[in-house]
Amino acid sequence: MTYRQQKREQGVMMIEVLIGILIFSIGILAMLGMQTLAMRATIDAKYRAEAGFLANEILGVMWGDPANLASYADASCAATTRCAAWRTRVAATLPGGLTPNVTVNNRAVTVVVSWQGAGQTSPSNHTMDAQIYRSTD
């Protein structure tokens, strides 16, 4: 190789190293993005599971007290000790401080538990419907 050819090839290795670092950096950034999405999905799944558990909890309480179903509806929930305690537990467990909604229509009960996590523009909801019968029905 002549001196002139060597002079032309100087710096080629530096360009190869810089391109390698660029490709490596893009890969690391992509992995960090995937990690962030995975964490958000895990947190969302946790809140959904908690909301389902809490909705199922109040339905279980209502199944145990079918004669007083109307007292668990939103308007009279504060007067019922178990219902008020459940609402406090919902507020302490799920983010956003949203009040759960319980509607009772004869024997049909609908429980809507809502939460709004950090970075969410609109609240998420978990809805459970049940038909609660007394032993005399």
Side-chain angles (χ1 to χ4, degrees):
M1 214 182 246
T2 66
Y3 178 73
R4 207 175 244 183
Q5 288 173 328
Q6 286 178 350
K7 190 94 168 136
R8 264 190 308 185
E9 291 183 13
Q10 280 183 337
V12 172
M13 182 178 271
M14 181 63 87
I15 292 172
E16 290 174 353
V17 169
L18 289 173
I19 290 172
I21 290 172
L22 176 69
I23 291 170
F24 180 76
S25 298
I26 290 171
I28 292 296
L29 288 174
M31 284 180 28
L32 287 174
M34 288 187 336
Q35 182 82 17
T36 302
L37 287 175
M39 285 184 66
R40 280 188 193 158
T42 301
I43 291 169
D44 187 51
K46 176 189 177 283
Y47 290 146
R48 288 187 187 285
E50 290 288 345
F53 173 75
L54 290 164
N56 202 21
E57 178 184 359
I58 194 66
L59 284 174
V61 169
M62 293 168 84
W63 269 101
D65 190 15
N68 298 313
L69 281 183
S71 67
Y72 293 95
D74 286 336
S76 54
C77 179
T80 307
T81 306
R82 293 162 102 182
C83 187
W86 173 76
R87 281 186 166 199
T88 304
R89 203 166 28 262
V90 170
T93 304
L94 297 174
L98 302 174
T99 304
N101 184 5
V102 179
T103 56
V104 178
N105 184 10
N106 197 7
R107 291 183 217 130
V109 177
T110 301
V111 179
V112 180
V113 180
S114 302
W115 68 97
Q116 188 164 357
Q120 283 184 316
T121 56
S122 61
S124 299
N125 297 314
H126 181 81
T127 304
M128 278 190 151
D129 294 317
Q131 293 286 329
I132 299 179
Y133 294 97
R134 295 179 280 228
S135 59
T136 59
D137 289 341

